[in-house]
Amino acid sequence: MNRLTGKVALVTGGARGQGEAEARMFAAEGAKVVLADVLDELGEKVASEIGESARYLHLDVTSEEGWTGVVEETVAAFGRLDILINNAGIVRTGYIEEHSVEDYMAVVNVNQLGVFLGMRSVVAAMREAGGGSIVNISSNAGLEGVEGVVGYVASKWAVRGMTKTAAIEFGQYGIRVNSVHPGGVDTPMLGGDELGHMAVTDPFRDQPIGRISQPEEIARLVLFLASDESSYSTGSEFIADGGRTAGHRDPGIVSE
């Protein structure tokens, strides 16, 4: 407990799923937390449930002005900003031949431009605070190709590269930047309309840990990177995908 005492965190996509799990965990560990999202009703509810250590702010992560306002409001409310979790993301499905430019750019704007704007927007506040930690949520799709989600894959590879560049540029200010690469997480994104055709369990049976992850499992890794326990880690990928990118079992060789 108290691994984030005295720190202030901003979590995008904080109204539900993985972002919600991170926000709740951070608050339990002593942080003041700002949940930012476009799902206002859900976000307000989560912040209210967390209590006085949390507040909700509306943020479209593709908006430069929106980012400026949220960072200013965070510092005004809590006096500083130490942690940014770039968690907001969307996915659109479609094979390359049929994938529309509109769907492709919608994903890139949220998943890639949103991360760029977030990192750029917090540097001054973190520098003023004496340093900080930025955690960019990528995916195992930022480590390998995935059929039928070309825009998502492109954006998550971009997050991986931007993380390394930011780590080089921001290290002089005591700001660490790392990326987290989850596999499947049991959230509304995976089970809802965005990937409604995909079963929540079947695609994960053949990986070494043969199940989907829960949001809290990813949040614990993000907590480590947000805390001072990871003080010598920057510019790195941290994978939590049940071993999916390690490879797959061959049913012709391995018997149950």
Side-chain angles (χ1 to χ4, degrees):
M1 301 296 290
N2 301 318
R3 295 160 75 184
L4 299 181
T5 297
K7 296 185 183 296
V8 177
L10 171 58
V11 180
T12 68
R16 65 178 187 176
Q18 194 174 302
E20 176 186 350
E22 291 155 2
R24 290 184 185 276
M25 193 172 290
F26 284 17
E29 291 287 346
K32 305 292 186 184
V33 183
V34 172
L35 297 78
D37 211 312
V38 293
L39 303 174
D40 296 336
E41 186 174 347
L42 285 176
E44 293 281 6
K45 180 176 182 292
V46 173
S48 176
E49 290 173 354
I50 293 173
E52 293 183 358
S53 61
R55 66 172 52 196
Y56 172 78
L57 295 175
H58 180 91
L59 174 63
D60 172 357
V61 296
T62 70
S63 168
E64 197 169 355
E65 295 78 13
W67 270 107
T68 299
V70 164
V71 171
E72 289 177 351
E73 288 187 62
T74 298
V75 174
F78 295 124
R80 57 189 295 135
L81 178 58
D82 306 278
I83 299 162
L84 169 65
I85 312 300
N86 272 316
N87 178 81
I90 63 171
V91 63
R92 298 286 185 269
T93 59
Y95 289 98
I96 293 172
E97 285 185 283
E98 61 195 40
H99 207 52
S100 71
V101 171
E102 291 76 16
D103 279 350
Y104 183 91
M105 290 309 302
V107 173
V108 168
N109 283 334
V110 172
N111 297 4
Q112 180 176 338
L113 177 62
V115 169
F116 163 74
L117 290 175
M119 292 193 296
R120 193 182 69 174
S121 299
V122 302
V123 172
M126 287 189 176
R127 192 165 54 217
E128 182 69 22
S133 176
I134 298 172
V135 182
N136 296 325
I137 306 301
S138 180
S139 168
N140 63 349
L143 302 167
E144 61 180 3
V146 180
E147 182 182 22
V149 285
V150 62
Y152 185 79
V153 169
S155 70
K156 293 303 185 178
W157 277 81
V159 168
R160 181 185 177 193
M162 289 193 297
T163 295
K164 293 182 179 297
T165 296
I168 297 166
E169 294 183 6
F170 300 167
Q172 61 186 311
Y173 309 128
I175 300 171
R176 298 181 297 106
V177 192
N178 292 287
S179 59
V180 168
H181 298 257
V185 187
D186 189 5
T187 67
M189 176 182 283
L190 191 59
D193 293 338
E194 297 95 333
L195 288 175
H197 65 282
M198 182 181 288
V200 171
T201 55
D202 288 352
F204 308 99
R205 288 179 178 169
D206 291 334
Q207 64 188 33
I209 300 176
R211 61 172 176 82
I212 196 169
S213 71
Q214 295 303 308
E216 291 75 17
E217 293 179 288
I218 310 304
R220 284 192 286 269
L221 175 55
V222 176
L223 170 63
F224 167 72
L225 293 172
S227 77
D228 294 336
E229 294 173 7
S230 57
S231 57
Y232 200 56
S233 296
T234 197
S236 295
E237 299 97 353
F238 290 80
I239 305 169
D241 70 348
R244 189 170 187 85
T245 50
H248 305 288
R249 296 179 298 174
D250 184 340
I253 297 175
V254 180
S255 60
E256 295 297 338

